[in-house]
């Protein structure tokens, strides 16, 4: 289970709203290689769950203005640099703090 280490409230948005957001340029997990590996494994697991069970995943991410948000969506593919969500919407992996299935 993913634990978000913040006391701030986290806004939940619809996946369609992702197209209008700007994301951080540097990896939000740059200081923690273990968390980067976990994020990659969780992304691959989310793709597997979407393809086998049509399960949505909760994705926590950070925008360019520093806000943390979450979106519930089906993760269709996990590329090296981004996730493709249902509706052909891409989310940069560098902005993802964690995933929760």
């Amino acid at each position: 289970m993913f634990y978000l280490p913040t006391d701030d409230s986290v806004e939940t948005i619809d996946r369609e709203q992702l197209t209008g957001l700007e994301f951080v340029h540097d990896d939000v997990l740059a200081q923690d290689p273990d968390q980067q590996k976990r994020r990659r494994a969780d992304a691959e697991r989310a793709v597997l769950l979407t393809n086998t069970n049509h399960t949505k995943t909760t994705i926590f991410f950070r925008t360019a203005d520093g806000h943390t948000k979450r979106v519930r969506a089906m993760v269709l593919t996990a590329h090296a640099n981004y996730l493709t969500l249902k509706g052909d919407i891409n989310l940069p992996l560098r902005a993802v703090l964690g995933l929760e299935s």
Side-chain angles (χ1 to χ4, degrees):
M1 179 177 211
F2 171 71
Y3 171 72
L4 182 64
T6 182
D7 292 332
D8 299 334
S9 63
V10 177
E11 178 185 2
T12 301
I13 65 168
D14 294 326
R15 68 179 153 80
E16 293 82 9
Q17 292 176 278
L18 289 170
T19 58
L21 296 177
E22 291 188 34
F23 300 98
V24 294
H25 293 286
D26 297 322
D27 193 328
V28 294
L29 300 178
Q31 303 301 319
D32 196 342
D34 290 335
Q35 287 298 324
Q36 288 177 331
K37 289 177 189 175
R38 166 104 190 231
R39 176 179 61 193
R40 168 58 57 193
D42 288 346
E44 296 296 336
R45 182 173 184 262
V47 171
L48 182 64
L49 289 171
T50 293
N51 290 330
T52 58
N53 301 331
H54 303 288
T55 304
K56 288 185 178 182
T57 299
T58 301
I59 306 166
F60 294 88
F61 62 94
R62 186 161 296 144
T63 57
D65 59 7
H67 291 101
T68 300
K69 299 182 187 287
R70 82 176 130 225
V71 63
R72 290 231 357 112
M74 291 184 181
V75 182
L76 301 179
T77 54
H79 303 276
N81 296 317
Y82 59 92
L83 302 174
T84 300
L85 309 179
K86 184 177 178 182
D88 202 28
I89 297 170
N90 293 324
L91 176 63
L93 200 56
R94 69 180 184 273
V96 175
L97 293 163
L99 299 96
E100 190 175 81
S101 298

